[in-house]
Amino acid sequence: MTARLTADTAIIGGGVIGLAAAWRLAQAGLRVAIIERGEPGREASHAAGGMLAPLAEADSRDAFFDLAVAGRSLYSRFAAELKESTGTDIEYRTEGTLYLSLDECDDEELQRRWEWQHAAGLNVEKLDASFVRTLEPQVAPALRWALKFPDDHQVENRRLVAALLAATRNAGVEIISHTDALRLRIENFAGKKRIVGVVTTQGEVRTGVVVLAAGSWSGLIESDEPVALADVEVEPVRGQMISLEMPMPVVRHVIYSRRGYVIPRLGGTVVCGSTSERAGFDKRVTAGGIAGIIEGAAGMLPAIRELAITEMWAGLRPFAGDGWPILGYDPQVSGLVYATGHYRNGILLAPITAETVTELIVQGEARRDISPFSVRRFATGKRDNGTNEIRGNKRKI
Ligand code: GLY
């Protein structure tokens, strides 16, 4: 097979993680190629809801939570930089997220969340029902109270994809679309293994550094020598979504509860989600999935039932054993960097993942401690807690 091109870094996967990393690496002066099996940004990045909501989805403070909060804090500058670089507004919205209590079970959930987050000094507010109604008059009569997360914001993820595509192209990134990455080429030099390229369906990309950012497809790439990711199952978890026409503003905040979430868009639609299903790589929507989402959304905002459907779709969240991302170098193979397994938080974590990957490659180490996200954790038996239940950010015991 003849070499197709040479790059300083080849990124496998053209979702928001791969695109954002490519942009930052190209800004740092590297020649970057993205190898994308389909059209860039058309999988989980396209299917997402765009919530930047670490507080709404976190059950406790841990390394993942700290990463998510740090990632969120980069977004306003990231959005402004993308606008300046490409002219595309990714609709970074700062109204915040409301987490509703509509029954006794919700009371317990919200109270738990309030207690740990308030004690930790996080920006969370407890609101009574009458005040919530002044913010969101359409909430269900069953509303008991709510938490407000003023700093849990949102972006329009499809605009984010468009902006990142334009930014990477402006920065000279080569995007090789409709091309499968088949095999990591690894050679032994003086007893050490190192990356020398990627074999693709279009030829070989020669490179000393590969960033594996292929989301749910990350485990399907072969390699000349064993790599640590081979011990991890990066599993697709299907999330179905529906969007509805919103001719009158039914809602302004992101609305969240145990039933699902409702995300208002500036373009006159509202996006409702989602399911969490093990369905392999099947991205079809199902009657039961969509019915459940509508039921959940209408339980929070009854006016949802009157809105016309504009689109239904599903995406595959990459879930790696414990729900945390895999970030950092392979322990054995020099030049192989993992940036995958972002599960429910790919949009939120794209800027901080890009920053981290760039630090690793350009400076040789990341500024923040990313050891909790190392692929090594799967080798030490922390990988699976023995249950099939998938919920929230982490697999539950
Ligand atoms: N982050 C929301 C979801 O994955 O459904």
Side-chain angles (χ1 to χ4, degrees), residues 47-53 57 237-241 256 261 263 273-276 317 342-348 392-393:
M51 290 184 294
L52 311 174
E57 294 213 336
V237 175
R238 183 168 71 186
Q240 301 187 40
M241 304 280 272
Y256 201 100
Y261 48 79
I263 307 167
S274 183
T275 58
S276 291
R317 307 176 183 93
H342 289 76
Y343 189 37
R344 301 175 70 88
N345 293 286
I347 304 296
L348 169 63
N393 280 321

PDB file of all heavy atoms in Angstrom, residues 47-53 57 237-241 256 261 263 273-276 317 342-348 392-393, ligand 1:
ATOM      1  N   ALA A  47     -26.056  14.247  16.855  1.00  0.00           N
ATOM      2  CA  ALA A  47     -27.246  13.728  17.556  1.00  0.00           C
ATOM      3  C   ALA A  47     -27.431  14.342  18.935  1.00  0.00           C
ATOM      4  O   ALA A  47     -28.508  14.244  19.520  1.00  0.00           O
ATOM      5  CB  ALA A  47     -27.127  12.213  17.694  1.00  0.00           C
ATOM      6  N   ALA A  48     -26.406  14.977  19.463  1.00  0.00           N
ATOM      7  CA  ALA A  48     -26.419  15.425  20.868  1.00  0.00           C
ATOM      8  C   ALA A  48     -27.451  16.523  21.121  1.00  0.00           C
ATOM      9  O   ALA A  48     -28.065  17.052  20.191  1.00  0.00           O
ATOM     10  CB  ALA A  48     -25.024  15.944  21.229  1.00  0.00           C
ATOM     11  N   GLY A  49     -27.596  16.865  22.404  1.00  0.00           N
ATOM     12  CA  GLY A  49     -28.505  17.947  22.775  1.00  0.00           C
ATOM     13  C   GLY A  49     -27.776  19.274  22.996  1.00  0.00           C
ATOM     14  O   GLY A  49     -28.385  20.330  22.946  1.00  0.00           O
ATOM     15  N   GLY A  50     -26.484  19.213  23.268  1.00  0.00           N
ATOM     16  CA  GLY A  50     -25.704  20.440  23.446  1.00  0.00           C
ATOM     17  C   GLY A  50     -25.743  21.018  24.851  1.00  0.00           C
ATOM     18  O   GLY A  50     -25.309  22.147  25.074  1.00  0.00           O
ATOM     19  N   MET A  51     -26.248  20.231  25.826  1.00  0.00           N
ATOM     20  CA  MET A  51     -26.260  20.739  27.207  1.00  0.00           C
ATOM     21  C   MET A  51     -24.844  20.738  27.771  1.00  0.00           C
ATOM     22  O   MET A  51     -24.109  19.770  27.606  1.00  0.00           O
ATOM     23  CB  MET A  51     -27.121  19.830  28.094  1.00  0.00           C
ATOM     24  CG  MET A  51     -28.582  19.915  27.790  1.00  0.00           C
ATOM     25  SD  MET A  51     -29.525  18.910  28.940  1.00  0.00           S
ATOM     26  CE  MET A  51     -28.979  17.279  28.531  1.00  0.00           C
ATOM     27  N   LEU A  52     -24.502  21.823  28.457  1.00  0.00           N
ATOM     28  CA  LEU A  52     -23.202  21.915  29.148  1.00  0.00           C
ATOM     29  C   LEU A  52     -23.542  21.871  30.633  1.00  0.00           C
ATOM     30  O   LEU A  52     -23.569  22.886  31.308  1.00  0.00           O
ATOM     31  CB  LEU A  52     -22.490  23.216  28.775  1.00  0.00           C
ATOM     32  CG  LEU A  52     -22.423  23.519  27.268  1.00  0.00           C
ATOM     33  CD1 LEU A  52     -21.824  24.898  27.032  1.00  0.00           C
ATOM     34  CD2 LEU A  52     -21.631  22.453  26.519  1.00  0.00           C
ATOM     35  N   ALA A  53     -23.874  20.670  31.121  1.00  0.00           N
ATOM     36  CA  ALA A  53     -24.602  20.579  32.391  1.00  0.00           C
ATOM     37  C   ALA A  53     -23.964  19.607  33.384  1.00  0.00           C
ATOM     38  O   ALA A  53     -24.575  18.613  33.763  1.00  0.00           O
ATOM     39  CB  ALA A  53     -26.041  20.174  32.102  1.00  0.00           C
ATOM     40  N   GLU A  57     -26.154  16.656  35.962  1.00  0.00           N
ATOM     41  CA  GLU A  57     -25.993  15.213  35.753  1.00  0.00           C
ATOM     42  C   GLU A  57     -25.081  14.545  36.774  1.00  0.00           C
ATOM     43  O   GLU A  57     -24.887  13.336  36.715  1.00  0.00           O
ATOM     44  CB  GLU A  57     -25.494  14.937  34.328  1.00  0.00           C
ATOM     45  CG  GLU A  57     -26.509  15.319  33.268  1.00  0.00           C
ATOM     46  CD  GLU A  57     -26.488  14.437  32.023  1.00  0.00           C
ATOM     47  OE1 GLU A  57     -25.455  13.834  31.749  1.00  0.00           O
ATOM     48  OE2 GLU A  57     -27.533  14.374  31.343  1.00  0.00           O
ATOM     49  N   VAL A 237     -24.105   3.404  23.255  1.00  0.00           N
ATOM     50  CA  VAL A 237     -25.361   3.491  24.034  1.00  0.00           C
ATOM     51  C   VAL A 237     -26.285   4.450  23.283  1.00  0.00           C
ATOM     52  O   VAL A 237     -26.010   5.651  23.198  1.00  0.00           O
ATOM     53  CB  VAL A 237     -25.099   3.984  25.475  1.00  0.00           C
ATOM     54  CG1 VAL A 237     -26.416   4.187  26.213  1.00  0.00           C
ATOM     55  CG2 VAL A 237     -24.222   2.991  26.223  1.00  0.00           C
ATOM     56  N   ARG A 238     -27.349   3.890  22.731  1.00  0.00           N
ATOM     57  CA  ARG A 238     -28.221   4.694  21.865  1.00  0.00           C
ATOM     58  C   ARG A 238     -29.025   5.716  22.660  1.00  0.00           C
ATOM     59  O   ARG A 238     -29.590   5.410  23.708  1.00  0.00           O
ATOM     60  CB  ARG A 238     -29.174   3.771  21.115  1.00  0.00           C
ATOM     61  CG  ARG A 238     -30.073   4.529  20.142  1.00  0.00           C
ATOM     62  CD  ARG A 238     -30.791   3.600  19.201  1.00  0.00           C
ATOM     63  NE  ARG A 238     -31.822   2.819  19.870  1.00  0.00           N
ATOM     64  CZ  ARG A 238     -32.507   1.843  19.277  1.00  0.00           C
ATOM     65  NH1 ARG A 238     -32.254   1.526  18.014  1.00  0.00           N
ATOM     66  NH2 ARG A 238     -33.426   1.182  19.942  1.00  0.00           N
ATOM     67  N   GLY A 239     -29.051   6.928  22.129  1.00  0.00           N
ATOM     68  CA  GLY A 239     -29.908   7.977  22.692  1.00  0.00           C
ATOM     69  C   GLY A 239     -30.827   8.481  21.599  1.00  0.00           C
ATOM     70  O   GLY A 239     -30.370   9.003  20.580  1.00  0.00           O
ATOM     71  N   GLN A 240     -32.127   8.303  21.788  1.00  0.00           N
ATOM     72  CA  GLN A 240     -33.089   8.817  20.804  1.00  0.00           C
ATOM     73  C   GLN A 240     -33.476  10.241  21.172  1.00  0.00           C
ATOM     74  O   GLN A 240     -33.474  10.615  22.353  1.00  0.00           O
ATOM     75  CB  GLN A 240     -34.332   7.926  20.765  1.00  0.00           C
ATOM     76  CG  GLN A 240     -34.018   6.489  20.414  1.00  0.00           C
ATOM     77  CD  GLN A 240     -35.274   5.648  20.205  1.00  0.00           C
ATOM     78  OE1 GLN A 240     -36.258   6.099  19.614  1.00  0.00           O
ATOM     79  NE2 GLN A 240     -35.230   4.413  20.680  1.00  0.00           N
ATOM     80  N   MET A 241     -33.828  11.020  20.162  1.00  0.00           N
ATOM     81  CA  MET A 241     -34.163  12.433  20.371  1.00  0.00           C
ATOM     82  C   MET A 241     -35.312  12.822  19.448  1.00  0.00           C
ATOM     83  O   MET A 241     -35.539  12.194  18.405  1.00  0.00           O
ATOM     84  CB  MET A 241     -32.961  13.326  20.025  1.00  0.00           C
ATOM     85  CG  MET A 241     -31.672  13.023  20.762  1.00  0.00           C
ATOM     86  SD  MET A 241     -31.654  13.715  22.426  1.00  0.00           S
ATOM     87  CE  MET A 241     -30.996  15.338  22.093  1.00  0.00           C
ATOM     88  N   TYR A 256     -34.882  20.020  33.032  1.00  0.00           N
ATOM     89  CA  TYR A 256     -34.332  18.689  33.287  1.00  0.00           C
ATOM     90  C   TYR A 256     -35.133  18.043  34.408  1.00  0.00           C
ATOM     91  O   TYR A 256     -35.618  18.717  35.303  1.00  0.00           O
ATOM     92  CB  TYR A 256     -32.876  18.877  33.739  1.00  0.00           C
ATOM     93  CG  TYR A 256     -31.978  17.687  33.590  1.00  0.00           C
ATOM     94  CD1 TYR A 256     -31.105  17.573  32.518  1.00  0.00           C
ATOM     95  CD2 TYR A 256     -31.988  16.658  34.537  1.00  0.00           C
ATOM     96  CE1 TYR A 256     -30.271  16.484  32.377  1.00  0.00           C
ATOM     97  CE2 TYR A 256     -31.152  15.570  34.403  1.00  0.00           C
ATOM     98  CZ  TYR A 256     -30.297  15.493  33.324  1.00  0.00           C
ATOM     99  OH  TYR A 256     -29.475  14.419  33.192  1.00  0.00           O
ATOM    100  N   TYR A 261     -35.064  15.551  29.344  1.00  0.00           N
ATOM    101  CA  TYR A 261     -34.728  16.974  29.272  1.00  0.00           C
ATOM    102  C   TYR A 261     -35.363  17.616  28.047  1.00  0.00           C
ATOM    103  O   TYR A 261     -35.696  16.949  27.069  1.00  0.00           O
ATOM    104  CB  TYR A 261     -33.214  17.188  29.284  1.00  0.00           C
ATOM    105  CG  TYR A 261     -32.429  16.310  28.330  1.00  0.00           C
ATOM    106  CD1 TYR A 261     -32.361  16.602  26.970  1.00  0.00           C
ATOM    107  CD2 TYR A 261     -31.757  15.179  28.794  1.00  0.00           C
ATOM    108  CE1 TYR A 261     -31.637  15.802  26.099  1.00  0.00           C
ATOM    109  CE2 TYR A 261     -31.037  14.373  27.926  1.00  0.00           C
ATOM    110  CZ  TYR A 261     -30.979  14.689  26.579  1.00  0.00           C
ATOM    111  OH  TYR A 261     -30.265  13.882  25.723  1.00  0.00           O
ATOM    112  N   ILE A 263     -34.752  21.120  25.613  1.00  0.00           N
ATOM    113  CA  ILE A 263     -33.736  22.141  25.317  1.00  0.00           C
ATOM    114  C   ILE A 263     -34.307  23.106  24.281  1.00  0.00           C
ATOM    115  O   ILE A 263     -34.518  22.720  23.117  1.00  0.00           O
ATOM    116  CB  ILE A 263     -32.458  21.482  24.754  1.00  0.00           C
ATOM    117  CG1 ILE A 263     -31.964  20.357  25.678  1.00  0.00           C
ATOM    118  CG2 ILE A 263     -31.371  22.512  24.541  1.00  0.00           C
ATOM    119  CD1 ILE A 263     -30.899  19.474  25.032  1.00  0.00           C
ATOM    120  N   GLY A 273     -35.095  14.863  24.929  1.00  0.00           N
ATOM    121  CA  GLY A 273     -34.370  13.594  24.975  1.00  0.00           C
ATOM    122  C   GLY A 273     -34.551  12.938  26.322  1.00  0.00           C
ATOM    123  O   GLY A 273     -35.120  13.518  27.223  1.00  0.00           O
ATOM    124  N   SER A 274     -34.068  11.820  26.475  1.00  0.00           N
ATOM    125  CA  SER A 274     -33.470  10.891  25.545  1.00  0.00           C
ATOM    126  C   SER A 274     -33.617   9.498  26.123  1.00  0.00           C
ATOM    127  O   SER A 274     -34.102   9.342  27.241  1.00  0.00           O
ATOM    128  CB  SER A 274     -31.986  11.235  25.350  1.00  0.00           C
ATOM    129  OG  SER A 274     -31.402  10.380  24.400  1.00  0.00           O
ATOM    130  N   THR A 275     -33.195   8.507  25.371  1.00  0.00           N
ATOM    131  CA  THR A 275     -33.162   7.136  25.881  1.00  0.00           C
ATOM    132  C   THR A 275     -31.706   6.758  26.140  1.00  0.00           C
ATOM    133  O   THR A 275     -30.785   7.426  25.657  1.00  0.00           O
ATOM    134  CB  THR A 275     -33.745   6.166  24.846  1.00  0.00           C
ATOM    135  OG1 THR A 275     -32.973   6.298  23.642  1.00  0.00           O
ATOM    136  CG2 THR A 275     -35.204   6.461  24.558  1.00  0.00           C
ATOM    137  N   SER A 276     -31.467   5.691  26.893  1.00  0.00           N
ATOM    138  CA  SER A 276     -30.129   5.106  27.042  1.00  0.00           C
ATOM    139  C   SER A 276     -30.286   3.610  26.825  1.00  0.00           C
ATOM    140  O   SER A 276     -30.761   2.904  27.712  1.00  0.00           O
ATOM    141  CB  SER A 276     -29.564   5.375  28.440  1.00  0.00           C
ATOM    142  OG  SER A 276     -29.276   6.732  28.605  1.00  0.00           O
ATOM    143  N   ARG A 317     -23.807   7.068  22.012  1.00  0.00           N
ATOM    144  CA  ARG A 317     -22.846   7.606  22.982  1.00  0.00           C
ATOM    145  C   ARG A 317     -21.768   6.554  23.237  1.00  0.00           C
ATOM    146  O   ARG A 317     -22.090   5.397  23.507  1.00  0.00           O
ATOM    147  CB  ARG A 317     -23.528   7.897  24.310  1.00  0.00           C
ATOM    148  CG  ARG A 317     -24.763   8.766  24.258  1.00  0.00           C
ATOM    149  CD  ARG A 317     -25.329   8.849  25.669  1.00  0.00           C
ATOM    150  NE  ARG A 317     -26.560   9.591  25.785  1.00  0.00           N
ATOM    151  CZ  ARG A 317     -27.769   9.054  25.723  1.00  0.00           C
ATOM    152  NH1 ARG A 317     -27.928   7.756  25.514  1.00  0.00           N
ATOM    153  NH2 ARG A 317     -28.841   9.798  25.876  1.00  0.00           N
ATOM    154  N   HIS A 342     -16.378   9.525  25.673  1.00  0.00           N
ATOM    155  CA  HIS A 342     -16.940  10.700  26.351  1.00  0.00           C
ATOM    156  C   HIS A 342     -18.412  10.525  26.728  1.00  0.00           C
ATOM    157  O   HIS A 342     -19.003  11.413  27.331  1.00  0.00           O
ATOM    158  CB  HIS A 342     -16.748  11.949  25.494  1.00  0.00           C
ATOM    159  CG  HIS A 342     -15.317  12.405  25.428  1.00  0.00           C
ATOM    160  ND1 HIS A 342     -14.380  11.769  24.650  1.00  0.00           N
ATOM    161  CD2 HIS A 342     -14.664  13.401  26.066  1.00  0.00           C
ATOM    162  CE1 HIS A 342     -13.204  12.374  24.803  1.00  0.00           C
ATOM    163  NE2 HIS A 342     -13.353  13.365  25.661  1.00  0.00           N
ATOM    164  N   TYR A 343     -18.995   9.427  26.349  1.00  0.00           N
ATOM    165  CA  TYR A 343     -20.337   9.026  26.765  1.00  0.00           C
ATOM    166  C   TYR A 343     -21.355  10.171  26.653  1.00  0.00           C
ATOM    167  O   TYR A 343     -21.639  10.630  25.564  1.00  0.00           O
ATOM    168  CB  TYR A 343     -20.279   8.427  28.181  1.00  0.00           C
ATOM    169  CG  TYR A 343     -21.569   7.787  28.640  1.00  0.00           C
ATOM    170  CD1 TYR A 343     -22.385   7.086  27.766  1.00  0.00           C
ATOM    171  CD2 TYR A 343     -21.964   7.880  29.970  1.00  0.00           C
ATOM    172  CE1 TYR A 343     -23.569   6.496  28.193  1.00  0.00           C
ATOM    173  CE2 TYR A 343     -23.146   7.290  30.415  1.00  0.00           C
ATOM    174  CZ  TYR A 343     -23.944   6.612  29.512  1.00  0.00           C
ATOM    175  OH  TYR A 343     -25.109   6.039  29.943  1.00  0.00           O
ATOM    176  N   ARG A 344     -21.890  10.697  27.755  1.00  0.00           N
ATOM    177  CA  ARG A 344     -22.947  11.711  27.687  1.00  0.00           C
ATOM    178  C   ARG A 344     -22.390  13.125  27.578  1.00  0.00           C
ATOM    179  O   ARG A 344     -23.140  14.103  27.621  1.00  0.00           O
ATOM    180  CB  ARG A 344     -23.827  11.651  28.946  1.00  0.00           C
ATOM    181  CG  ARG A 344     -24.502  10.321  29.180  1.00  0.00           C
ATOM    182  CD  ARG A 344     -25.246  10.307  30.486  1.00  0.00           C
ATOM    183  NE  ARG A 344     -26.420  11.139  30.479  1.00  0.00           N
ATOM    184  CZ  ARG A 344     -27.634  10.745  30.085  1.00  0.00           C
ATOM    185  NH1 ARG A 344     -27.817   9.510  29.666  1.00  0.00           N
ATOM    186  NH2 ARG A 344     -28.646  11.568  30.117  1.00  0.00           N
ATOM    187  N   ASN A 345     -21.065  13.261  27.472  1.00  0.00           N
ATOM    188  CA  ASN A 345     -20.467  14.583  27.666  1.00  0.00           C
ATOM    189  C   ASN A 345     -19.477  15.000  26.578  1.00  0.00           C
ATOM    190  O   ASN A 345     -18.582  15.790  26.840  1.00  0.00           O
ATOM    191  CB  ASN A 345     -19.791  14.612  29.039  1.00  0.00           C
ATOM    192  CG  ASN A 345     -20.825  14.513  30.142  1.00  0.00           C
ATOM    193  OD1 ASN A 345     -21.538  15.466  30.424  1.00  0.00           O
ATOM    194  ND2 ASN A 345     -20.954  13.328  30.725  1.00  0.00           N
ATOM    195  N   GLY A 346     -19.671  14.484  25.372  1.00  0.00           N
ATOM    196  CA  GLY A 346     -18.731  14.829  24.298  1.00  0.00           C
ATOM    197  C   GLY A 346     -18.736  16.312  23.964  1.00  0.00           C
ATOM    198  O   GLY A 346     -17.680  16.907  23.742  1.00  0.00           O
ATOM    199  N   ILE A 347     -19.912  16.909  23.918  1.00  0.00           N
ATOM    200  CA  ILE A 347     -19.968  18.340  23.575  1.00  0.00           C
ATOM    201  C   ILE A 347     -19.323  19.148  24.704  1.00  0.00           C
ATOM    202  O   ILE A 347     -18.447  19.982  24.470  1.00  0.00           O
ATOM    203  CB  ILE A 347     -21.435  18.793  23.349  1.00  0.00           C
ATOM    204  CG1 ILE A 347     -22.127  17.944  22.266  1.00  0.00           C
ATOM    205  CG2 ILE A 347     -21.494  20.291  23.018  1.00  0.00           C
ATOM    206  CD1 ILE A 347     -21.560  18.033  20.891  1.00  0.00           C
ATOM    207  N   LEU A 348     -19.736  18.870  25.929  1.00  0.00           N
ATOM    208  CA  LEU A 348     -19.200  19.590  27.082  1.00  0.00           C
ATOM    209  C   LEU A 348     -17.670  19.487  27.152  1.00  0.00           C
ATOM    210  O   LEU A 348     -16.983  20.466  27.443  1.00  0.00           O
ATOM    211  CB  LEU A 348     -19.831  19.009  28.364  1.00  0.00           C
ATOM    212  CG  LEU A 348     -19.234  19.435  29.702  1.00  0.00           C
ATOM    213  CD1 LEU A 348     -19.401  20.927  29.922  1.00  0.00           C
ATOM    214  CD2 LEU A 348     -19.887  18.658  30.848  1.00  0.00           C
ATOM    215  N   GLY A 392     -27.225   8.035  33.995  1.00  0.00           N
ATOM    216  CA  GLY A 392     -26.415   9.196  34.317  1.00  0.00           C
ATOM    217  C   GLY A 392     -25.007   9.052  33.784  1.00  0.00           C
ATOM    218  O   GLY A 392     -24.777   8.448  32.756  1.00  0.00           O
ATOM    219  N   ASN A 393     -24.046   9.605  34.497  1.00  0.00           N
ATOM    220  CA  ASN A 393     -22.685   9.616  34.015  1.00  0.00           C
ATOM    221  C   ASN A 393     -21.955   8.320  34.269  1.00  0.00           C
ATOM    222  O   ASN A 393     -20.963   8.029  33.643  1.00  0.00           O
ATOM    223  CB  ASN A 393     -21.897  10.741  34.697  1.00  0.00           C
ATOM    224  CG  ASN A 393     -22.198  12.042  34.032  1.00  0.00           C
ATOM    225  OD1 ASN A 393     -22.314  12.086  32.831  1.00  0.00           O
ATOM    226  ND2 ASN A 393     -22.333  13.079  34.809  1.00  0.00           N
TER     227      ASN A 393
HETATM  228  N1  GLY B   1     -25.952  14.554  27.780  1.00  0.00           N
HETATM  229  C1  GLY B   1     -27.244  14.127  27.525  1.00  0.00           C
HETATM  230  C2  GLY B   1     -27.374  12.803  26.908  1.00  0.00           C
HETATM  231  O1  GLY B   1     -26.391  12.180  26.558  1.00  0.00           O
HETATM  232  O2  GLY B   1     -28.489  12.357  26.747  1.00  0.00           O
END
